Structure formats: C-alpha cells, structure tokens
Amino acid sequence: EAGVAQSPRYKIIEKRQSVAFWCNPISGHATLYWYQQILGQGPKLLIQFQNNGVVDDSQLPKDRFSAERLKGVDSTLKIQPAKLEDSAVYLCASRLGPSTEAFFGQGTRLTVV
Amino acid sequence: SQQGEEDPQALSIQEGENATMNCSYKTSINNLQWYRQNSGRGLVHLILIRSNEREKHSGRLRVTLDTSKKSSSLLITASRAADTASYFCAWGEYGNKLVFGAGTILRVKS
C-alpha cells in the first residue's frame, strides 16, 4: 500500500513570508495528524483531524498557523507569517484507528531565515 | 516535560550489547507505541502494546508496560550498528490522540 505522501521535502523562506505544506494520507485512514519536530526534540502534536473535522488543535498557534482537511482526505498546513522559531520538520501521519499504528510521511524540513 | 519523559537522553553501547530505554507518561492511555527515527527521515513504527498488556516481543525488541507506574521500557537485544537511531515512545490517549516523548538517541559502536 502507498505510504503517507508529503510535499515539499524542503523549504527555505524568509521570516514574515507564508508557506504551505501538503499531506496525502494512506487511503482509508480517518485520522490525520500534523506534528512539528524541532531539532533534538520529540514530535509535538499541532493538530488532529478525524475525517474532515478537527479533534484537537490545542497546541496549534492559531494566530499564524492554520490547517484544513477538505473532503476528509488530503490536508494542508499553512504558516502565515513565519517566524524564525518555526524552523523545524513538519510531519504528517495517518492512522486507521485508536488501536493501530500511525504511519508517517518523510516530513517537510522548513528553514526560516 | 508536562506530558512525559524518556531516559536516558542518549545511550552509547557496543555492538552485541543490549540497550534499554525508558518512557514515562502522565495520562490514562489506550496503548503505547515505540518508533524509530533515523537522521533526517520519518518515524518508523516498531511495536504497539495495549493498556491491558504487560509485555510484548517482536524479534529483538521487548516492550514492557506498567500502567500503575505510567511507565514503559524498550529493550533491544544483541544490538547492531544499524540500530543507531533516535527512539521515541508515543502514548495513545483516549480520543485517538498520539503524544510523543522527547526521545532517546542510541548509538551502537561497531
């Protein structure tokens, strides 16, 4: 089966610019997660979708980050405007259900200069 | 961390030795999972243990779970150079939330 697809793999932007990441989860996986992983740290959950509804976005900086999952399949994560501290790897994961493993994409490495 | 800890932060061992990593969490969980991450790559699932299980094996991996102490451990036996990576525990909270620990960096020297 195809894995979780993410694009782009790398992105360099200047602070105050905007950026968007795209994720295509595994077919049939209702749960989709976006994580932010700063170098040397564990992944931090930003937002969790169940189909096209948001389940948890308690750690999403909503003044600059937004995410959507139209039609309950693909998802985009946007940052506007970016700050230097947003430099990180952004990971997308999908999961069939609560008792199953999560599958991760390769991530997007964002550098804000 | 407000959500949990992993220790040690880093571990360096010789090939053939065993490696043990520990994870503690603070909430009620549905299950606990361990993932591996090679430098610059995505996370790969290793093993899942349910909250009603105490021990689980998969090849050279052995995971234990003590829900009364809110802790888990991952044992890698007969380590190989290819096991060099970062290892993360992730606990599945009710509502399908998946929260990660800070990770342990394992280096296996050949």
Side-chain angles (χ1 to χ4, degrees), chain A residues 95 100-102, chain B residues 31-35 45 47-48 88-90 98:
Chain A
R95 195 178 185 190
T100 62
E101 65 191 275
Chain B
N31 58 68
L32 189 136
Q33 307 179 34
W34 286 88
Y35 289 79
H45 181 262
I47 194 166
L48 180 152
F88 296 91
C89 68
L98 191 61

Side-chain angles (χ1 to χ4, degrees), chain A residues 44-102:
Chain A
K44 172 188 165 186
L45 179 64
L46 292 177
I47 189 166
Q48 175 188 340
F49 291 94
Q50 185 70 20
N51 296 309
N52 60 349
V54 176
V55 174
D56 189 310
D57 62 357
S58 56
Q59 297 201 81
L60 187 73
K62 297 179 187 65
D63 57 334
R64 297 185 302 103
F65 286 65
S66 64
E68 61 182 7
R69 190 183 183 196
L70 298 175
K71 299 181 181 178
V73 183
D74 292 6
S75 178
T76 56
L77 176 69
K78 297 178 182 178
I79 307 175
Q80 181 179 13
K83 293 185 175 181
L84 296 177
E85 60 259 36
D86 298 332
S87 294
V89 175
Y90 290 84
L91 296 162
C92 177
S94 70
R95 195 178 185 190
L96 190 59
S99 297
T100 62
E101 65 191 275

Side-chain angles (χ1 to χ4, degrees), chain A residues 9 31 33 35 37 41-43 45 48 50 55-56 58-59 91 95 97-102 104-106 109, chain B residues 3 30-31 33 35 37 39-45 48 50 88 92-93 95-103 105:
Chain A
R9 284 296 311 275
T31 304
Y33 308 91
Y35 290 88
Q37 186 176 24
Q41 299 182 16
L45 179 64
Q48 175 188 340
Q50 185 70 20
V55 174
D56 189 310
S58 56
Q59 297 201 81
L91 296 162
R95 195 178 185 190
S99 297
T100 62
E101 65 191 275
F104 281 79
Q106 288 296 302
R109 184 177 298 277
Chain B
Q3 294 177 314
N30 184 26
N31 58 68
Q33 307 179 34
Y35 289 79
Q37 186 177 40
S39 180
R41 300 193 175 185
L43 289 106
V44 175
H45 181 262
L48 180 152
R50 293 181 168 75
F88 296 91
E93 298 180 358
N96 213 3
K97 189 172 181 179
L98 191 61
V99 181
F100 280 80
I105 299 171

Side-chain angles (χ1 to χ4, degrees), chain B residues 20-67:
Chain B
T20 300
M21 290 159 259
N22 303 294
C23 168
S24 63
Y25 56 92
K26 299 184 178 182
T27 62
S28 295
I29 64 171
N30 184 26
N31 58 68
L32 189 136
Q33 307 179 34
W34 286 88
Y35 289 79
R36 184 184 72 211
Q37 186 177 40
N38 290 90
S39 180
R41 300 193 175 185
L43 289 106
V44 175
H45 181 262
L46 295 175
I47 194 166
L48 180 152
I49 185 167
R50 293 181 168 75
S51 59
N52 61 352
E53 297 176 312
R54 291 297 167 257
E55 188 172 312
K56 199 162 183 178
H57 296 254
S58 176
R60 293 184 296 114
L61 306 179
R62 173 180 168 247
V63 169
T64 62
L65 178 64
D66 187 336
T67 53

Side-chain angles (χ1 to χ4, degrees), chain B residues 1-21:
Chain B
S1 167
Q2 292 183 341
Q3 294 177 314
E5 300 288 342
E6 285 189 63
D7 76 86
Q9 289 186 317
L11 182 61
S12 183
I13 59 174
Q14 289 293 136
E15 206 166 27
E17 294 181 337
N18 296 341
T20 300
M21 290 159 259

